Amino acid sequence: MSLKKNNGEKAFDFINIIFMLIVMISTLYPFLYILIVSISPIEDVMKEGFILPSRIDFSSYKFAFATGAIQRAYGNTIFVVVVGTSLNILFTLLGGYVLSKKKLPGVKVMNLFVIITMLFNGGLIPFYIVVRSLNLVNTIWSLIIPVLINTYNLIIMRSFIQSIPESLEESAQIDGCSYTRMLFNIIAPLSMPVLATLTLFYAVGHWNAFFNAIIFINRKALWPLQVVVREIFANNIEAINLEDMPPPSETMKMATVIICTVPILVVYPFLQKYFVKGVMLGAVKG
Amino acid sequence: MKNTISKKIFKYYELYLLFIPVAIFYIIFSYGPMFGLVIAFKNFNFQSGIFGSPWVGMKHFIEVFSNSDFLNSLVNTLLISLYRLIAGFPAPIILAILLNELRSNKFKKFVQTVSYMPHFISWVIIGGMVMNLLSPNRGPVNMLIKALGGEAIFFMNEPGFFKGILVITSIWKETGWGAIIFLAAIAGIDPSYNEAAIIDGANRFKLIWHVTLPSIRNVIVIMLILNMGNILNAGFEQVFVLINPAVSTAGEIIDYYVYRQGLVRFGNYSYAAAVGLFKSVVCLILVLITDKVSKLIDENGGIM
């Protein structure tokens, strides 16, 4: 069976392809433009009608690294990504496992307890007050502890574990296995696909996070990557410099963007299928 | 009865122990702030703490609703959400349908992968890109305008453009990612429906209208519900990155107003908390209403 290929259909196919090309170009062009500006000499960029540089100039990259602010911020961000994501996964695994046990007395209440937090939250100010009262302000932990669990991810985890046949655990229990050992030795290895996906969700979240750092951290030395980028764009040179330096130029700003985006862009094509799976897993429950 | 329950709890005690860290987290960081909302009815300051601060009842709420800045932010929030809904909600659906119509699977996957890449870039980065692209002297957009004979427009400083910039950039960022769910739904459509329609003489467009769209109706409704619950949100991080004093009347949304009142201007914690409380309550009501409505349409609908 096949659709009769008349001219209308062929035209549609052709236009569709053009449309997709436009979609791709409009997605990629901003990055391309940023890249071009970042490797262009500043005099070229300031001229009217700039399209292509007269020569390749990496000096803005040198400047970007010169203050050490970016390296420090990279270190902070990597710490948050590694430690934060590990804790995220641990807590999400614990929660997802317990909440998946349908026969556990009170499990319905526990589930409700968690879901309610998705429907109603106290807002920014009370949240800020709580974190401040815990003396987390101006520590790197303010970026990790208040966001230990993402409820949406928790539900994904729970749904996945529920799909694992109970007989596996039942036979292990007969052999005298404790719940803790079952969780880490049986359930966790079987949950690798969803754990991989959630790891990536959490990791990207930490990499891109900036707002909590803005409201909780005043010490520049602790600033993560995105905050430093933002400060550079806002021309807050005192924020990132320890000595006198000229205000960041357009090219330096763009170099910073490239430096901070390259890891994600490089890693992304290999990992994107995990993200897509994650959306599906979430959608099944939704 | 009592015996069996305590026996059960004893049998499962380990699970309760495993859940304790999770429970503690939620109690501190989700339920704690909910309890802390009580400061909206007080004059909170850090020295007195939550319990010691004096009670003022509804005073802040009265202030809130007579404050023109707040009312302005409410209008902005609703308008931005409305524009987002009109322009941004159909976009992923259309993209998914068109992607599905592509003949080559490889090309389709390639386009998809490219299309949801912006979802993984932070708003800080995108904000920087946008400011550069729209720059009056050097940005490509203005260069194009000048090449066509027009005058450069200072996009980022014009209140009239701001909401449009917000909506367009968020479409750019999220359409590809949003299309994933719809594509998955379309992929799940029983091919026999399409075949039957073709036998009845349907062409491509009729197929889309009469088979594809109705089949993914459930997913569309669910996504609509989720969007409805989000009406008062309007994208805080995005606004935070792009806003500047010149456009604040057009761009300030409720969340940004709360941020400015509570954390930028010193000492307005209770007032800002009152705004936050109002917003959370309305959001909750909206979610419950749209969930009920979706159940009326289709008894299996809704998220709860």
Side-chain angles (χ1 to χ4, degrees):
Chain A
M1 74 115 237
S2 62
L3 293 168
K4 249 190 352 193
K5 267 272 210 167
N6 59 31
N7 282 338
E9 306 269 330
K10 281 195 205 151
F12 175 81
D13 279 339
F14 182 68
I15 296 180
N16 203 10
I17 294 187
I18 301 287
F19 175 73
M20 291 303 164
L21 287 175
I22 295 179
V23 164
M24 289 202 291
I25 292 176
S26 60
T27 305
L28 294 174
Y29 173 69
F31 295 100
L32 190 61
Y33 178 72
I34 305 289
L35 184 62
I36 291 179
V37 173
S38 74
I39 57 176
S40 307
I42 184 69
E43 321 85 57
D44 284 11
V45 172
M46 300 306 264
K47 275 194 280 203
E48 291 264 340
F50 166 75
I51 301 196
L52 282 178
S54 50
R55 56 184 169 88
I56 307 249
D57 182 353
F58 284 109
S59 60
S60 44
Y61 284 91
K62 284 201 216 109
F63 276 131
F65 284 119
T67 65
I70 292 194
Q71 291 92 317
R72 216 167 35 229
Y74 245 102
N76 291 330
T77 296
I78 291 182
F79 179 82
V80 171
V81 167
V82 169
V83 175
T85 307
S86 311
L87 289 177
N88 288 141
I89 292 296
L90 176 63
F91 274 73
T92 307
L93 192 57
L94 287 176
Y97 179 63
V98 177
L99 289 180
S100 72
K101 298 261 159 276
K102 296 201 179 101
K103 297 204 190 113
L104 180 69
V107 78
K108 282 214 182 103
V109 170
M110 289 154 84
N111 269 301
L112 197 59
F113 172 77
V114 162
I115 297 216
I116 286 181
T117 67
M118 281 180 96
L119 300 176
F120 184 85
N121 72 68
L124 176 59
I125 304 300
F127 177 72
Y128 174 78
I129 294 177
V130 165
V131 174
R132 195 167 137 169
S133 316
L134 290 170
N135 286 324
L136 288 175
V137 163
N138 268 330
T139 71
I140 198 80
W141 298 100
S142 63
L143 307 181
I144 297 178
I145 298 187
V147 291
L148 274 178
I149 306 180
N150 174 309
T151 310
Y152 188 68
N153 292 347
L154 180 60
I155 295 183
I156 294 181
M157 186 90 245
R158 180 194 72 183
S159 303
F160 186 87
I161 296 184
Q162 275 170 343
S163 71
I164 297 179
E166 282 181 27
S167 46
L168 278 168
E169 284 194 71
E170 278 163 18
S171 47
Q173 270 194 303
I174 295 177
D175 290 341
C177 193
S178 73
Y179 282 110
T180 316
R181 273 191 46 206
M182 276 199 292
L183 171 60
F184 290 110
N185 292 354
I186 303 179
I187 302 291
L190 284 176
S191 309
M192 271 313 168
V194 78
L195 284 178
T197 303
L198 292 184
T199 301
L200 291 173
F201 276 164
Y202 279 123
V204 169
H206 284 302
W207 184 272
N208 285 336
F210 68 92
F211 185 65
N212 277 359
I214 287 186
I215 61 176
F216 292 130
I217 299 186
N218 288 322
R219 285 175 53 196
K220 307 173 210 157
L222 285 177
W223 272 345
L225 214 45
Q226 307 294 337
V227 176
V228 170
V229 175
R230 173 169 161 71
E231 293 298 316
I232 289 181
F233 267 97
N235 281 323
N236 290 348
I237 39 156
E238 328 84 41
I240 55 158
N241 284 354
L242 304 171
E243 329 92 50
D244 282 312
M245 266 183 93
S249 60
E250 282 304 299
T251 55
M252 187 175 144
K253 289 181 190 174
M254 298 304 124
T256 314
V257 167
I258 297 289
I259 294 173
C260 297
T261 318
V262 154
I264 291 218
L265 290 181
V266 159
V267 150
Y268 166 76
F270 303 103
L271 301 176
Q272 47 95 7
K273 67 169 183 209
Y274 289 105
F275 292 110
V276 177
K277 270 204 203 126
V279 173
M280 312 289 201
L281 289 169
V284 167
K285 183 55 198 167
Chain B
M1 258 301 281
K2 252 190 178 178
N3 246 351
T4 341
I5 294 191
S6 33
K7 264 209 189 118
K8 266 198 177 167
I9 295 186
F10 180 71
K11 172 179 166 199
Y12 290 114
Y13 83 95
E14 206 184 338
L15 288 177
Y16 294 118
L17 281 182
L18 287 175
F19 193 69
I20 285 180
V22 176
I24 293 181
F25 168 78
Y26 275 109
I27 291 175
I28 297 181
F29 291 105
S30 289
Y31 287 93
M34 281 191 221
F35 166 75
L37 270 179
V38 75
I39 68 168
F41 300 98
K42 298 183 166 203
N43 266 341
F44 175 80
N45 62 75
F46 273 104
Q47 285 92 345
S48 319
I50 296 186
F51 297 104
S53 299
W55 184 266
V56 294
M58 300 294 284
K59 167 174 161 222
H60 293 299
F61 291 94
I62 299 176
E63 273 173 37
V64 167
F65 285 101
S66 44
N67 183 303
S68 63
D69 278 350
F70 164 73
L71 294 169
N72 186 49
S73 74
L74 180 59
V75 169
N76 282 338
T77 306
L78 291 173
L79 280 180
I80 293 175
S81 289
L82 182 66
Y83 297 157
R84 268 197 224 277
L85 208 60
I86 297 177
F89 186 76
I93 303 179
I94 296 176
L95 182 62
I97 292 180
L98 288 178
L99 275 171
N100 189 53
E101 294 292 324
L102 285 175
R103 302 226 166 258
S104 158
N105 228 4
K106 269 200 190 136
F107 185 60
K108 170 175 154 190
K109 281 220 145 57
F110 187 69
V111 176
Q112 247 203 299
T113 307
V114 171
S115 77
Y116 50 72
M117 189 185 54
H119 171 83
F120 297 103
I121 310 292
S122 79
W123 273 116
V124 172
I125 304 274
I126 297 182
M129 285 164 120
V130 166
M131 290 196 275
N132 203 271
L133 289 170
L134 296 180
S135 156
N137 300 322
R138 297 174 299 272
V141 175
N142 273 309
M143 278 185 351
L144 189 61
I145 293 180
K146 284 189 226 172
L148 293 175
E151 290 237 332
I153 307 179
F154 213 154
F155 287 101
M156 293 297 295
N157 271 17
E158 289 287 330
F161 280 114
F162 194 69
K163 292 194 181 66
I165 292 177
L166 286 180
V167 174
I168 294 179
T169 47
S170 67
I171 290 181
W172 180 81
K173 186 176 197 276
E174 296 297 342
T175 296
W177 183 254
I180 296 180
I181 291 210
F182 293 113
L183 260 175
I186 294 178
I189 298 178
D190 190 340
S192 60
Y193 289 142
N194 276 323
E195 287 165 20
I198 294 174
I199 293 177
D200 283 346
N203 67 13
R204 185 95 65 86
F205 307 100
K206 288 227 172 82
L207 269 183
I208 295 178
W209 188 256
H210 291 287
V211 178
T212 313
L213 275 178
S215 305
I216 58 175
R217 197 188 59 180
N218 280 343
V219 181
I220 294 182
V221 168
I222 290 183
M223 297 308 289
L224 205 53
I225 296 179
L226 290 176
N227 269 312
M228 286 294 163
N230 255 341
I231 272 190
L232 292 185
N233 277 334
F236 176 70
E237 285 201 344
Q238 180 189 20
V239 171
F240 182 86
V241 165
L242 290 172
I243 203 169
N244 60 66
V247 296
S248 60
T249 41
E252 190 165 64
I253 57 175
I254 295 182
D255 280 333
Y256 193 78
Y257 179 68
V258 170
Y259 164 72
R260 191 162 61 87
Q261 288 295 324
L263 298 185
V264 177
R265 268 185 37 194
F266 180 70
N268 278 355
Y269 297 110
S270 284
Y271 178 79
V275 178
L277 175 56
F278 162 74
K279 177 175 172 262
S280 294
V281 168
V282 173
C283 276
L284 176 64
I285 296 178
L286 281 175
V287 169
L288 292 176
I289 290 181
T290 45
D291 192 66
K292 274 270 142 55
V293 167
S294 77
K295 285 220 174 68
L296 288 175
I297 298 180
D298 171 3
E299 40 198 57
N300 291 326
I303 359 184
M304 292 172 247

Short mmCIF file of all heavy atoms in Angstrom, two decimals, chain B residues 60-104:
data_model
loop_
_atom_site.label_atom_id
_atom_site.label_comp_id
_atom_site.label_asym_id
_atom_site.label_seq_id
_atom_site.Cartn_x
_atom_site.Cartn_y
_atom_site.Cartn_z
N HIS B 60 -0.37 42.58 54.72
CA HIS B 60 0.44 42.49 53.51
C HIS B 60 -0.39 42.19 52.27
O HIS B 60 -0.13 42.71 51.19
CB HIS B 60 1.52 41.42 53.67
CG HIS B 60 2.54 41.76 54.70
ND1 HIS B 60 3.33 42.88 54.60
CD2 HIS B 60 2.89 41.15 55.83
CE1 HIS B 60 4.15 42.93 55.66
NE2 HIS B 60 3.88 41.89 56.42
N PHE B 61 -1.42 41.36 52.44
CA PHE B 61 -2.24 41.01 51.28
C PHE B 61 -2.98 42.23 50.76
O PHE B 61 -3.13 42.41 49.56
CB PHE B 61 -3.22 39.89 51.64
CG PHE B 61 -2.51 38.59 51.87
CD1 PHE B 61 -2.14 38.21 53.14
CD2 PHE B 61 -2.21 37.76 50.81
CE1 PHE B 61 -1.47 37.02 53.36
CE2 PHE B 61 -1.54 36.56 51.02
CZ PHE B 61 -1.16 36.20 52.29
N ILE B 62 -3.44 43.07 51.71
CA ILE B 62 -4.12 44.29 51.29
C ILE B 62 -3.14 45.17 50.52
O ILE B 62 -3.46 45.71 49.46
CB ILE B 62 -4.69 45.04 52.49
CG1 ILE B 62 -5.70 44.15 53.20
CG2 ILE B 62 -5.34 46.35 52.06
CD1 ILE B 62 -6.26 44.75 54.46
N GLU B 63 -1.91 45.28 51.04
CA GLU B 63 -0.89 46.06 50.34
C GLU B 63 -0.63 45.50 48.95
O GLU B 63 -0.53 46.25 47.98
CB GLU B 63 0.43 45.99 51.12
CG GLU B 63 0.60 47.02 52.19
CD GLU B 63 1.87 46.74 52.99
OE1 GLU B 63 2.86 46.31 52.36
OE2 GLU B 63 1.86 46.94 54.21
N VAL B 64 -0.53 44.18 48.89
CA VAL B 64 -0.20 43.54 47.62
C VAL B 64 -1.20 43.92 46.55
O VAL B 64 -0.84 44.37 45.46
CB VAL B 64 -0.17 42.01 47.77
CG1 VAL B 64 -0.15 41.34 46.40
CG2 VAL B 64 1.05 41.58 48.56
N PHE B 65 -2.48 43.77 46.86
CA PHE B 65 -3.48 43.95 45.81
C PHE B 65 -3.73 45.41 45.47
O PHE B 65 -4.38 45.70 44.48
CB PHE B 65 -4.77 43.22 46.17
CG PHE B 65 -4.64 41.74 46.00
CD1 PHE B 65 -4.43 40.92 47.09
CD2 PHE B 65 -4.65 41.19 44.74
CE1 PHE B 65 -4.26 39.56 46.93
CE2 PHE B 65 -4.47 39.83 44.57
CZ PHE B 65 -4.28 39.02 45.67
N SER B 66 -3.24 46.32 46.32
CA SER B 66 -3.38 47.72 45.93
C SER B 66 -2.08 48.26 45.35
O SER B 66 -1.99 49.42 44.99
CB SER B 66 -3.81 48.56 47.12
OG SER B 66 -3.07 48.19 48.25
N ASN B 67 -1.11 47.39 45.18
CA ASN B 67 0.18 47.83 44.66
C ASN B 67 0.20 47.73 43.14
O ASN B 67 0.01 46.66 42.57
CB ASN B 67 1.29 46.98 45.28
CG ASN B 67 2.66 47.43 44.85
OD1 ASN B 67 2.97 47.50 43.67
ND2 ASN B 67 3.49 47.76 45.82
N SER B 68 0.46 48.86 42.48
CA SER B 68 0.38 48.84 41.02
C SER B 68 1.50 48.02 40.40
O SER B 68 1.32 47.41 39.35
CB SER B 68 0.41 50.27 40.47
OG SER B 68 1.64 50.87 40.80
N ASP B 69 2.68 47.98 41.04
CA ASP B 69 3.76 47.15 40.50
C ASP B 69 3.37 45.69 40.50
O ASP B 69 3.63 44.96 39.53
CB ASP B 69 5.04 47.31 41.35
CG ASP B 69 5.80 48.55 40.97
OD1 ASP B 69 5.46 49.16 39.94
OD2 ASP B 69 6.74 48.91 41.70
N PHE B 70 2.72 45.25 41.59
CA PHE B 70 2.32 43.85 41.63
C PHE B 70 1.28 43.57 40.55
O PHE B 70 1.36 42.59 39.82
CB PHE B 70 1.74 43.48 43.00
CG PHE B 70 0.98 42.18 42.96
CD1 PHE B 70 1.65 40.98 42.84
CD2 PHE B 70 -0.41 42.17 42.98
CE1 PHE B 70 0.96 39.78 42.77
CE2 PHE B 70 -1.11 40.97 42.92
CZ PHE B 70 -0.42 39.78 42.81
N LEU B 71 0.26 44.44 40.48
CA LEU B 71 -0.80 44.22 39.50
C LEU B 71 -0.22 44.21 38.10
O LEU B 71 -0.62 43.42 37.24
CB LEU B 71 -1.87 45.31 39.64
CG LEU B 71 -2.61 45.22 40.97
CD1 LEU B 71 -3.48 46.44 41.21
CD2 LEU B 71 -3.46 43.96 41.02
N ASN B 72 0.76 45.08 37.86
CA ASN B 72 1.43 45.08 36.57
C ASN B 72 2.12 43.75 36.32
O ASN B 72 2.05 43.20 35.22
CB ASN B 72 2.46 46.23 36.54
CG ASN B 72 3.09 46.36 35.19
OD1 ASN B 72 2.42 46.40 34.18
ND2 ASN B 72 4.41 46.41 35.16
N SER B 73 2.78 43.23 37.36
CA SER B 73 3.48 41.95 37.17
C SER B 73 2.49 40.82 36.92
O SER B 73 2.77 39.88 36.18
CB SER B 73 4.37 41.63 38.38
OG SER B 73 3.59 41.21 39.47
N LEU B 74 1.31 40.92 37.55
CA LEU B 74 0.29 39.90 37.32
C LEU B 74 -0.16 39.93 35.87
O LEU B 74 -0.25 38.89 35.20
CB LEU B 74 -0.90 40.16 38.26
CG LEU B 74 -2.07 39.19 38.18
CD1 LEU B 74 -1.62 37.77 38.47
CD2 LEU B 74 -3.16 39.60 39.16
N VAL B 75 -0.43 41.13 35.36
CA VAL B 75 -0.85 41.26 33.97
C VAL B 75 0.23 40.74 33.03
O VAL B 75 -0.04 39.99 32.09
CB VAL B 75 -1.18 42.74 33.65
CG1 VAL B 75 -1.34 42.93 32.16
CG2 VAL B 75 -2.44 43.16 34.37
N ASN B 76 1.48 41.14 33.29
CA ASN B 76 2.58 40.66 32.45
C ASN B 76 2.63 39.14 32.43
O ASN B 76 2.79 38.51 31.38
CB ASN B 76 3.92 41.19 32.98
CG ASN B 76 4.15 42.62 32.59
OD1 ASN B 76 3.57 43.11 31.65
ND2 ASN B 76 5.03 43.29 33.33
N THR B 77 2.53 38.55 33.65
CA THR B 77 2.62 37.10 33.74
C THR B 77 1.54 36.44 32.90
O THR B 77 1.80 35.52 32.14
CB THR B 77 2.49 36.65 35.20
OG1 THR B 77 3.45 37.33 35.99
CG2 THR B 77 2.70 35.16 35.32
N LEU B 78 0.30 36.94 33.05
CA LEU B 78 -0.81 36.31 32.32
C LEU B 78 -0.64 36.49 30.81
O LEU B 78 -0.86 35.55 30.05
CB LEU B 78 -2.14 36.92 32.78
CG LEU B 78 -2.52 36.56 34.21
CD1 LEU B 78 -3.75 37.31 34.67
CD2 LEU B 78 -2.75 35.06 34.34
N LEU B 79 -0.25 37.70 30.40
CA LEU B 79 -0.08 37.93 28.96
C LEU B 79 1.02 37.05 28.38
O LEU B 79 0.85 36.43 27.33
CB LEU B 79 0.26 39.41 28.70
CG LEU B 79 -0.93 40.36 28.72
CD1 LEU B 79 -0.45 41.77 28.44
CD2 LEU B 79 -1.95 39.94 27.67
N ILE B 80 2.15 36.99 29.08
CA ILE B 80 3.26 36.18 28.57
C ILE B 80 2.84 34.72 28.47
O ILE B 80 3.12 34.05 27.48
CB ILE B 80 4.51 36.34 29.46
CG1 ILE B 80 5.06 37.75 29.34
CG2 ILE B 80 5.59 35.33 29.07
CD1 ILE B 80 6.23 38.03 30.27
N SER B 81 2.16 34.24 29.51
CA SER B 81 1.70 32.84 29.45
C SER B 81 0.73 32.64 28.32
O SER B 81 0.75 31.62 27.64
CB SER B 81 1.04 32.44 30.77
OG SER B 81 2.00 32.32 31.78
N LEU B 82 -0.13 33.63 28.09
CA LEU B 82 -1.09 33.52 27.01
C LEU B 82 -0.37 33.45 25.66
O LEU B 82 -0.66 32.60 24.82
CB LEU B 82 -2.04 34.73 27.04
CG LEU B 82 -3.14 34.71 25.98
CD1 LEU B 82 -4.10 33.58 26.25
CD2 LEU B 82 -3.88 36.04 25.95
N TYR B 83 0.59 34.37 25.44
CA TYR B 83 1.33 34.35 24.18
C TYR B 83 2.07 33.04 24.00
O TYR B 83 2.10 32.45 22.93
CB TYR B 83 2.34 35.50 24.13
CG TYR B 83 1.74 36.88 24.16
CD1 TYR B 83 2.49 37.97 24.58
CD2 TYR B 83 0.43 37.11 23.78
CE1 TYR B 83 1.96 39.24 24.62
CE2 TYR B 83 -0.12 38.37 23.82
CZ TYR B 83 0.65 39.44 24.24
OH TYR B 83 0.13 40.70 24.29
N ARG B 84 2.66 32.58 25.11
CA ARG B 84 3.39 31.32 25.04
C ARG B 84 2.46 30.20 24.62
O ARG B 84 2.81 29.33 23.84
CB ARG B 84 3.95 30.95 26.40
CG ARG B 84 5.32 31.41 26.67
CD ARG B 84 5.86 30.63 27.85
NE ARG B 84 6.54 31.48 28.78
CZ ARG B 84 7.80 31.86 28.65
NH1 ARG B 84 8.50 31.45 27.62
NH2 ARG B 84 8.36 32.65 29.53
N LEU B 85 1.25 30.20 25.18
CA LEU B 85 0.29 29.15 24.89
C LEU B 85 -0.10 29.19 23.42
O LEU B 85 -0.08 28.18 22.72
CB LEU B 85 -0.94 29.34 25.77
CG LEU B 85 -1.73 28.09 26.12
CD1 LEU B 85 -0.84 27.12 26.86
CD2 LEU B 85 -2.92 28.46 26.97
N ILE B 86 -0.44 30.38 22.95
CA ILE B 86 -0.92 30.50 21.57
C ILE B 86 0.16 30.13 20.57
O ILE B 86 -0.07 29.40 19.62
CB ILE B 86 -1.41 31.93 21.29
CG1 ILE B 86 -2.59 32.26 22.19
CG2 ILE B 86 -1.81 32.08 19.84
CD1 ILE B 86 -3.09 33.67 22.02
N ALA B 87 1.37 30.67 20.79
CA ALA B 87 2.44 30.42 19.82
C ALA B 87 3.23 29.17 20.15
O ALA B 87 3.62 28.42 19.27
CB ALA B 87 3.37 31.63 19.76
N GLY B 88 3.47 28.97 21.44
CA GLY B 88 4.40 27.91 21.82
C GLY B 88 3.79 26.55 22.01
O GLY B 88 4.47 25.55 21.94
N PHE B 89 2.50 26.48 22.27
CA PHE B 89 1.93 25.16 22.50
C PHE B 89 1.77 24.36 21.21
O PHE B 89 2.10 23.18 21.16
CB PHE B 89 0.60 25.27 23.25
CG PHE B 89 0.05 23.93 23.63
CD1 PHE B 89 0.59 23.22 24.67
CD2 PHE B 89 -1.00 23.37 22.90
CE1 PHE B 89 0.10 21.97 25.02
CE2 PHE B 89 -1.49 22.12 23.25
CZ PHE B 89 -0.94 21.42 24.31
N PRO B 90 1.25 24.97 20.15
CA PRO B 90 1.12 24.20 18.91
C PRO B 90 2.45 23.85 18.28
O PRO B 90 2.54 22.86 17.55
CB PRO B 90 0.32 25.12 17.98
CG PRO B 90 -0.26 26.17 18.84
CD PRO B 90 0.66 26.32 19.99
N ALA B 91 3.49 24.66 18.53
CA ALA B 91 4.75 24.47 17.81
C ALA B 91 5.32 23.06 17.89
O ALA B 91 5.65 22.47 16.86
CB ALA B 91 5.79 25.50 18.27
N PRO B 92 5.46 22.47 19.11
CA PRO B 92 6.01 21.11 19.15
C PRO B 92 5.10 20.09 18.46
O PRO B 92 5.58 19.12 17.89
CB PRO B 92 6.13 20.79 20.64
CG PRO B 92 5.69 21.96 21.39
CD PRO B 92 5.23 23.01 20.46
N ILE B 93 3.79 20.33 18.53
CA ILE B 93 2.86 19.39 17.88
C ILE B 93 3.08 19.43 16.37
O ILE B 93 3.19 18.39 15.70
CB ILE B 93 1.40 19.76 18.21
CG1 ILE B 93 1.18 19.77 19.71
CG2 ILE B 93 0.45 18.79 17.53
CD1 ILE B 93 -0.22 20.15 20.11
N ILE B 94 3.16 20.67 15.83
CA ILE B 94 3.36 20.81 14.39
C ILE B 94 4.70 20.18 13.98
O ILE B 94 4.78 19.45 12.99
CB ILE B 94 3.32 22.29 13.99
CG1 ILE B 94 1.93 22.87 14.28
CG2 ILE B 94 3.67 22.46 12.53
CD1 ILE B 94 1.81 24.34 14.01
N LEU B 95 5.73 20.47 14.79
CA LEU B 95 7.04 19.92 14.46
C LEU B 95 7.00 18.40 14.46
O LEU B 95 7.52 17.74 13.56
CB LEU B 95 8.10 20.42 15.45
CG LEU B 95 9.52 19.93 15.18
CD1 LEU B 95 10.02 20.42 13.84
CD2 LEU B 95 10.46 20.37 16.29
N ALA B 96 6.33 17.82 15.46
CA ALA B 96 6.26 16.36 15.55
C ALA B 96 5.54 15.78 14.34
O ALA B 96 5.99 14.80 13.74
CB ALA B 96 5.55 15.96 16.84
N ILE B 97 4.43 16.41 13.95
CA ILE B 97 3.68 15.90 12.81
C ILE B 97 4.52 15.98 11.54
O ILE B 97 4.58 15.04 10.75
CB ILE B 97 2.36 16.69 12.65
CG1 ILE B 97 1.43 16.38 13.82
CG2 ILE B 97 1.70 16.34 11.32
CD1 ILE B 97 0.11 17.09 13.74
N LEU B 98 5.18 17.13 11.36
CA LEU B 98 5.98 17.28 10.15
C LEU B 98 7.17 16.33 10.15
O LEU B 98 7.53 15.77 9.12
CB LEU B 98 6.45 18.73 10.02
CG LEU B 98 5.35 19.71 9.64
CD1 LEU B 98 5.90 21.12 9.58
CD2 LEU B 98 4.73 19.31 8.32
N LEU B 99 7.80 16.15 11.32
CA LEU B 99 8.90 15.21 11.40
C LEU B 99 8.44 13.81 11.01
O LEU B 99 9.13 13.06 10.34
CB LEU B 99 9.49 15.18 12.82
CG LEU B 99 10.53 16.24 13.14
CD1 LEU B 99 10.87 16.23 14.62
CD2 LEU B 99 11.79 16.00 12.32
N ASN B 100 7.24 13.48 11.48
CA ASN B 100 6.72 12.15 11.20
C ASN B 100 6.50 11.93 9.72
O ASN B 100 6.54 10.80 9.24
CB ASN B 100 5.40 11.96 11.98
CG ASN B 100 4.91 10.54 11.93
OD1 ASN B 100 5.64 9.63 12.26
ND2 ASN B 100 3.68 10.35 11.49
N GLU B 101 6.25 13.06 8.99
CA GLU B 101 5.96 12.93 7.57
C GLU B 101 7.22 12.78 6.73
O GLU B 101 7.14 12.57 5.53
CB GLU B 101 5.18 14.16 7.08
CG GLU B 101 3.80 14.27 7.68
CD GLU B 101 2.87 13.17 7.18
OE1 GLU B 101 3.00 12.79 6.01
OE2 GLU B 101 2.06 12.68 7.99
N LEU B 102 8.37 12.95 7.35
CA LEU B 102 9.61 12.83 6.59
C LEU B 102 9.81 11.38 6.13
O LEU B 102 9.52 10.44 6.87
CB LEU B 102 10.81 13.26 7.45
CG LEU B 102 10.96 14.76 7.65
CD1 LEU B 102 12.10 15.02 8.62
CD2 LEU B 102 11.23 15.45 6.34
N ARG B 103 10.32 11.26 4.94
CA ARG B 103 10.47 9.91 4.40
C ARG B 103 11.68 9.20 4.95
O ARG B 103 11.65 8.03 5.28
CB ARG B 103 10.55 9.98 2.87
CG ARG B 103 9.32 10.64 2.31
CD ARG B 103 8.77 9.86 1.14
NE ARG B 103 7.43 10.34 0.85
CZ ARG B 103 6.33 9.69 1.22
NH1 ARG B 103 6.40 8.56 1.85
NH2 ARG B 103 5.16 10.20 0.93
N SER B 104 12.79 9.95 5.03
CA SER B 104 14.02 9.31 5.46
C SER B 104 14.14 9.29 6.98
O SER B 104 14.11 10.32 7.63
CB SER B 104 15.22 10.06 4.87
OG SER B 104 16.37 9.81 5.63
#
